[in-house]
Amino acid sequence: MTDLPPDLPRLRTLETWLQLTLDEVRAAIAAAEQRDAERQRGLERRPPAPDWLLEQGLNRDAPPVQVHVGGCWDAGKRTRGIDRGEALRALADGVTACGVCRPDSELGFLG
């Protein structure tokens, strides 16, 4: 035994409501699939992480604080990617090498 109404007008009303609800669910599914596809495209197009990071000082005029290997968990938020040559120059100029990721060892810098 079902809980459906027995008369045709109420069954038609229920059918219409179910169709509208199904349309809304399908639209929500399509939107979720679109978001997932865009997120995946963004991940695929993300530029590679830099090999070396230079951690900047607290303000624009402050000297750099540390050199890190790219992806170092101890790198602060004020970092920018640099190339190998710039990392070596920074270490040669006296910028501290991170004690966690040891970029000086990775670079073969004997300071």
Side-chain angles (χ1 to χ4, degrees), residues 6-103:
D7 57 300
L8 188 59
R10 286 192 293 172
L11 285 170
R12 291 287 183 202
T13 301
L14 184 57
E15 177 186 36
T16 302
W17 179 82
L18 288 171
Q19 184 62 51
L20 292 172
T21 303
L22 182 59
D23 291 344
E24 288 177 11
V25 169
R26 287 181 175 157
I29 289 171
E33 289 173 341
Q34 178 70 25
R35 283 191 307 272
D36 287 349
E38 288 171 359
R39 186 178 303 114
Q40 185 61 36
R41 276 194 305 274
L43 291 174
E44 291 169 0
R45 293 178 183 170
R46 178 178 290 170
D51 292 333
W52 313 101
L53 298 170
L54 186 64
E55 186 173 347
Q56 303 296 120
L58 288 176
N59 62 43
R60 209 173 349 156
D61 302 322
V65 178
Q66 284 185 327
V67 176
H68 298 272
V69 172
C72 175
W73 64 266
D74 197 34
K77 291 186 179 184
R78 298 176 315 274
T79 60
R80 66 177 177 88
I82 57 175
D83 61 24
R84 179 182 177 82
E86 193 172 350
L88 285 168
R89 281 191 298 280
L91 291 171
D93 290 343
V95 178
T96 306
C98 173
V100 174
C101 63
R102 302 302 311 225

